[in-house]
Amino acid sequence: MVYINDHFLQLQTSYLFSDINRKVTAFRKENPDARIIRMGIGDVSRPLTPAVITALHQAVEEMGNADTFRGYGPEQGYEFLIERIIQHDYKSRGIELDLDEVFVNDGAKSDLGNIGDILSQNNRVAITDPVYPVYIDTNVMSGRSGTFCDGQWSDIIYLPCERDNHFVPKLPDVCPDVIYLCYPNNPTGTTLTRTELKQWVDYARNHGSLILFDSAYEAYITESEVPHSIYEIQGAKEVAIEFRSFSKTAGFTGLRCGYTVIPKALKARTKGGQEVALNPLWNRRQCTKFNGTPYIVQRAAEAVYSEQGEKETLETIKYYLTNASIVRKGLEEAGLEAYGGVNAPYIWLKTPEGMDSWKMFDRLLHECHIVCTPGVGFGPSGEGFLRLTAFGRREDTEEAIERIVRWNI
Ligand code: PLP
């Protein structure tokens, strides 16, 4: 007899995107001529930049030549990329990292999910609410969530991020072992300042907690008080793992590359109370279960850091941030309340008083022909909000906003 991991049966089916699609399909059927603009997707629309494409072509050529062909690479990633990552993303901000503290992967989602492999099932997990659903579901899969009741998991500590606390989570009353923080945030598009993040680092240091810091949207930071890396905060190397991605930074959503930083100073305990460094555990896990990111993809990621690559990448980021600013200004002009969009490609729109997320979604679809994502789909504290993304094409973004400004809500 074969037994399954029963925890998988506890997973809640996410109806969010299927419900959105069902509503859009029904609307399209009734209104075949309507030009629908999609502002719900979290995927990019700009192509890879010329520097990246050139690097890909060159790497492909190398793979076709016996003298330059590469087979299995280092599981942790090639040094040529790790050196660039350390130099450009950390050293430039005064953060020193060794080569073996950076692990290249096939995108942040994999490691955000896999990191649980090296952590005890008994850890108590805290998440901000609303949240990127991967953090919750991967903990459900590994049995850390408890049972699902009234829209919440019994063993997960929810840290509400609402208008009233300016979307800054309060330090928890019950002490978590593992704390997921994502800044700039998906879905709210909001950030923590250096002072606010320091409170979390200090909390983790005082309580022996581990922070899993997801900074997939780091490239969108424009304000100086917002830290780009958690390691800008003193002492963070002893309590935090950082996850980064080339997906939204350089359009790698389809190419797949990211990296995880696990400082050697970071330790956790065995059941018996002995301190163990997480870096070698993760290295062991990767060497056993992962055979490395493709060579050509790592060459493409390396090109993001070239002079030309950096210039082009910045242009793309500016393009999305300009979209975000068009959305923010337009919504405000329409008398709506919106957050985010300054250091992130997401805008968190408050629904008018008395209107819930789905009601506003329906009205936007039927009256403006715009598709967004209902905030409640990201967790209970997302009720009363919608997420709009700035990843669309400029002309679509402008048109969508013109429609909203003209809209008689
Ligand atoms: N983290 C957050 C907060 C995200 O929104 C996403 C993707 O949407 C990811 C991680 C995953 O990114 P990747 O494409 O690198 O797997």
Side-chain angles (χ1 to χ4, degrees):
M1 180 61 79
V2 179
Y3 298 96
I4 60 156
N5 173 350
D6 280 1
H7 300 306
F8 274 67
L9 300 186
Q10 278 187 286
L11 286 166
Q12 303 298 300
T13 309
S14 171
Y15 295 109
L16 179 64
F17 289 101
S18 56
D19 281 352
I20 292 174
N21 284 337
R22 190 175 44 74
K23 281 172 182 276
V24 173
T25 307
F27 175 78
R28 208 186 274 287
K29 224 171 169 183
E30 285 162 24
N31 306 274
D33 297 331
R35 199 176 92 71
I36 294 174
I37 299 178
R38 291 183 176 271
M39 298 186 80
I41 47 152
D43 201 355
V44 294
S45 60
R46 306 293 299 156
L48 294 166
T49 70
V52 170
I53 293 296
T54 304
L56 277 170
H57 280 302
Q58 277 169 3
V60 168
E61 286 302 320
E62 284 178 54
M63 294 298 265
N65 183 328
D67 294 333
T68 49
F69 168 77
R70 310 265 187 144
Y72 289 125
E75 291 89 345
Q76 304 81 355
Y78 284 101
E79 270 189 29
F80 63 75
L81 177 56
I82 296 177
E83 273 168 6
R84 290 285 184 125
I85 289 170
I86 292 177
Q87 187 62 38
H88 288 249
D89 294 345
Y90 293 98
K91 226 183 168 106
S92 64
R93 299 190 186 281
I95 301 160
E96 295 292 333
L97 288 175
D98 292 339
L99 288 171
D100 56 0
E101 294 183 301
V102 177
F103 297 85
V104 176
N105 59 32
D106 60 353
K109 193 180 196 174
S110 306
D111 283 7
L112 280 162
N114 294 331
I115 197 72
D117 276 13
I118 62 166
L119 302 172
S120 162
Q121 192 192 325
N122 299 325
N123 283 311
R124 192 84 200 268
V125 170
I127 53 130
T128 52
D129 170 35
V131 73
Y132 177 54
V134 171
Y135 313 151
I136 295 200
D137 283 357
T138 52
N139 279 291
V140 175
M141 289 174 184
S142 48
R144 292 192 194 94
S145 61
T147 51
F148 193 68
C149 187
D150 293 335
Q152 296 207 352
W153 292 95
S154 59
D155 291 354
I156 300 236
I157 300 166
Y158 288 77
L159 308 167
C161 296
E162 297 161 324
R163 233 174 6 158
D164 291 351
N165 59 12
H166 306 285
F167 306 97
V168 176
K170 215 168 85 25
L171 296 170
D173 303 326
V174 182
C175 180
D177 304 302
V178 179
I179 303 162
Y180 286 84
L181 294 179
C182 170
Y183 291 98
N185 188 260
N186 175 15
T188 65
T190 58
T191 51
L192 293 186
T193 61
R194 217 164 261 111
T195 313
E196 287 158 349
L197 185 57
K198 182 177 181 314
Q199 289 185 352
W200 282 94
V201 170
D202 291 347
Y203 178 92
R205 289 174 65 83
N206 293 335
H207 293 80
S209 313
L210 167 68
I211 297 177
L212 300 179
F213 192 74
D214 181 352
S215 56
Y217 298 95
E218 170 274 336
Y220 291 83
I221 294 171
T222 59
E223 293 180 320
S224 59
E225 67 270 27
V226 179
H228 287 251
S229 164
I230 194 165
Y231 305 121
E232 287 178 40
I233 313 294
Q234 212 184 355
K237 278 189 182 174
E238 283 145 46
V239 291
I241 295 178
E242 181 159 287
F243 302 86
R244 292 252 189 127
S245 171
F246 292 94
S247 284
K248 309 296 162 68
T249 304
F252 275 49
T253 51
L255 208 52
R256 312 303 304 145
C257 194
Y259 63 87
T260 299
V261 179
I262 308 197
K264 285 181 279 196
L266 178 60
K267 301 203 169 86
R269 287 179 193 278
T270 64
K271 253 191 255 160
Q274 186 196 342
E275 276 202 330
V276 175
L278 292 183
N279 178 294
L281 285 193
W282 181 249
N283 188 46
R284 185 62 206 262
R285 189 263 170 218
Q286 290 299 80
C287 292
T288 303
K289 292 194 180 181
F290 183 61
N291 249 343
T293 306
Y295 172 71
I296 59 172
V297 172
Q298 293 192 62
R299 280 294 185 201
E302 180 193 27
V304 172
Y305 296 107
S306 67
E307 203 181 317
Q308 187 197 342
E310 271 196 318
K311 223 169 94 207
E312 293 168 353
T313 304
L314 208 63
E315 282 304 309
T316 308
I317 304 273
K318 269 197 202 148
Y319 180 94
Y320 295 133
L321 279 173
T322 305
N323 280 355
S325 135
I326 291 168
V327 175
R328 268 293 293 257
K329 282 204 191 103
L331 294 175
E332 277 156 21
E333 204 183 315
L336 293 161
E337 197 180 315
Y339 303 89
V342 176
N343 299 291
Y346 297 118
I347 293 94
W348 197 232
L349 170 62
K350 177 79 193 88
T351 61
E353 216 44 56
M355 200 186 293
D356 69 22
S357 293
W358 277 111
K359 176 75 188 159
M360 176 95 166
F361 170 92
D362 286 335
R363 286 197 56 189
L364 258 183
L365 175 61
H366 285 265
E367 295 166 35
C368 298
H369 309 167
I370 293 170
V371 182
C372 59
T373 312
V376 68
F378 297 99
S381 298
E383 181 55 280
F385 287 89
L386 298 178
R387 189 191 73 175
L388 300 175
T389 85
F391 285 131
R393 292 185 310 174
R394 174 68 43 79
E395 49 285 19
D396 287 343
T397 306
E398 284 172 340
E399 189 180 331
I401 291 310
E402 277 167 28
R403 290 182 196 174
I404 292 178
V405 170
R406 282 200 310 266
W407 185 30
N408 186 10
I409 192 168

